[in-house]
């Protein structure tokens, strides 16, 4: 095991020995690596990742009433209305796998969503409050990550044409399937997503910072180093 993996595990035990991780909120602009980090942390803590982006895209793919509304909004880089997203999250949180905690990826994204979540948790005497960790990455780096991102439709492996290309251009190394680009991963839609992030989601960070439940990590580093730093931050915030 590498020394970084060991440090992640050591920090994870420290969290695990004291308490369950509870609800963890991963924040950061589009392309910051929230999904990638969530996948690292679920391995460590054994709690589920709840990505509102993934849940909404699943609704779009299935053509549900919610998906039909969300499709256009996502395509424009805007945010889906709070009540629709909150209801979707409420249903997901009823699943028993959330009992020891969960990693929220992309939610809450507005003050309205944060207030809804905080009220919901406050009404459950056994629930821990949310702790939020934001992943910071500079604008040009985000733009490269988003516009270069390609996904395998079969195994969902994520590539980047600039920094992590597949062996054969345009095809998944594992499945051989033709890679696809998300409709909202273009430069024009990225700019709109950044605008929504700055106007509506940045205040959510300030909300949790004011409550003393917020930390920030540098996201322009190797994946395992960032994961280790998030674990340490969560441990500190849960103390
Ligand atoms: P990213 O964080 O990289 O922008 P996501 O996959 O999390 O990408 O979200 C994609 C899109 O789904 C968003 O641009 C937005 O339209 C919609 N969405 C996801 N989560 C929320 C949310 N909590 N509230 C409103 N809209 C959301």
């Amino acid at each position: 095991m590498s020394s970084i993996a060991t440090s992640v595990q050591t920090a994870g035990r420290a969290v695990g020995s004291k308490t369950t991780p509870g609800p963890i909120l991963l924040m950061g602009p589009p392309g910051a690596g929230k999904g990638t980090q969530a996948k690292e942390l679920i391995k460590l803590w054994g709690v589920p990742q709840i990505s509102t982006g993934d849940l909404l895209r699943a609704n779009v793919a299935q053509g549900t009433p919610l998906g039909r509304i969300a499709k256009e909004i996502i395509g424009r880089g805007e945010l889906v209305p709070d009540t629709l997203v909150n209801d979707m999250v409420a249903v997901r949180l009823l699943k028993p796998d959330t009992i020891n905690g969960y990693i929220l990826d992309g939610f809450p994204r507005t003050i309205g969503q944060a207030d809804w979540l905080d009220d919901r948790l406050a009404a459950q005497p056994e629930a821990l409050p949310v702790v939020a960790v934001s992943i910071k990455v500079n604008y040009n780096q985000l733009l490269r990550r988003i516009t270069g991102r390609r996904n395998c439709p079969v195994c969902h492996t994520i590539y980047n044409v600039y920094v992590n290309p597949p062996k054969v251009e345009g095809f998944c190394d594992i499945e051989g399937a033709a890679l696809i680009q998300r409709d909202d991963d273009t430069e024009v839609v990225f700019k709109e997503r950044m605008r929504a992030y700055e106007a509506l989601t940045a205040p959510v960070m300030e909300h949790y910072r004011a409550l003393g439940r917020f930390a920030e990590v540098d996201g322009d580093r190797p994946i395992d180093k960032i994961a280790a730093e998030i674990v340490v931050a969560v441990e500190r915030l849960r103390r």
Side-chain angles (χ1 to χ4, degrees):
M1 189 189 295
S2 76
S3 61
I4 294 156
T6 311
S7 77
V8 170
Q9 293 222 332
T10 308
R13 267 202 301 279
V15 173
S17 63
K18 238 184 297 134
T19 177
T20 53
I24 312 281
L25 165 54
L26 282 185
M27 302 195 69
K34 301 180 290 289
T36 303
Q37 288 303 322
K39 296 216 160 44
E40 293 292 303
L41 297 168
I42 62 178
K43 281 189 260 168
L44 191 67
W45 284 322
V47 298
Q49 169 193 14
I50 301 178
S51 158
T52 44
D54 286 349
L55 291 174
L56 287 169
R57 279 187 291 277
N59 274 276
V60 172
Q62 287 156 21
T64 66
L66 169 61
R68 284 199 291 275
I69 298 170
K71 188 176 187 330
E72 308 264 299
I73 300 172
I74 294 173
R76 289 197 300 267
E78 294 169 7
L79 296 187
V80 176
D82 287 352
T83 48
L84 298 179
V85 179
N86 293 347
D87 287 352
M88 180 182 77
V89 172
V91 170
R92 178 62 186 86
L93 290 180
L94 290 176
K95 287 202 185 170
D97 63 349
T98 57
I99 188 91
N100 290 326
Y102 39 89
I103 297 170
L104 288 166
D105 158 8
F107 180 92
R109 239 176 168 95
T110 65
I111 289 289
Q113 293 175 11
D115 286 343
W116 174 86
L117 181 67
D118 292 350
D119 288 351
R120 190 190 153 95
L121 293 172
Q124 300 167 356
E126 74 289 358
L128 291 168
V130 161
V131 293
V133 180
S134 175
I135 307 170
K136 223 173 124 173
V137 175
N138 78 49
Y139 186 91
N140 288 335
Q141 179 77 3
L142 294 171
L143 180 63
R144 250 165 83 89
R145 288 190 188 180
I146 290 288
T147 56
R149 179 157 70 181
R150 301 290 183 275
N151 309 293
C152 173
V154 182
C155 67
H156 306 291
T157 299
I158 297 173
Y159 298 88
N160 185 288
V161 298
Y162 306 115
V163 294
N164 175 33
K167 292 194 184 82
V168 178
E169 193 186 328
F171 294 93
C172 178
D173 293 349
I174 302 159
E175 297 290 337
L179 299 178
I180 51 173
Q181 182 176 27
R182 262 169 56 176
D183 291 343
D184 59 346
D185 275 352
T186 59
E187 183 165 354
V188 173
V189 182
F190 167 75
K191 288 190 173 150
E192 188 50 45
R193 286 158 71 192
M194 280 300 286
R195 252 195 298 277
Y197 176 75
E198 270 149 24
L200 300 168
T201 310
V204 177
M205 294 198 281
E206 296 317 312
H207 168 79
Y208 287 114
R209 197 197 298 272
L211 292 169
R213 292 196 254 117
F214 176 80
E216 205 159 42
V217 300
D218 175 5
D220 194 5
R221 303 161 65 211
I223 292 170
D224 47 4
K225 296 228 184 210
I226 303 166
E229 212 188 311
I230 294 174
V231 170
V232 170
V234 168
E235 182 190 358
R236 184 167 46 76
L237 293 171
R238 281 276 178 241
R239 227 175 258 146

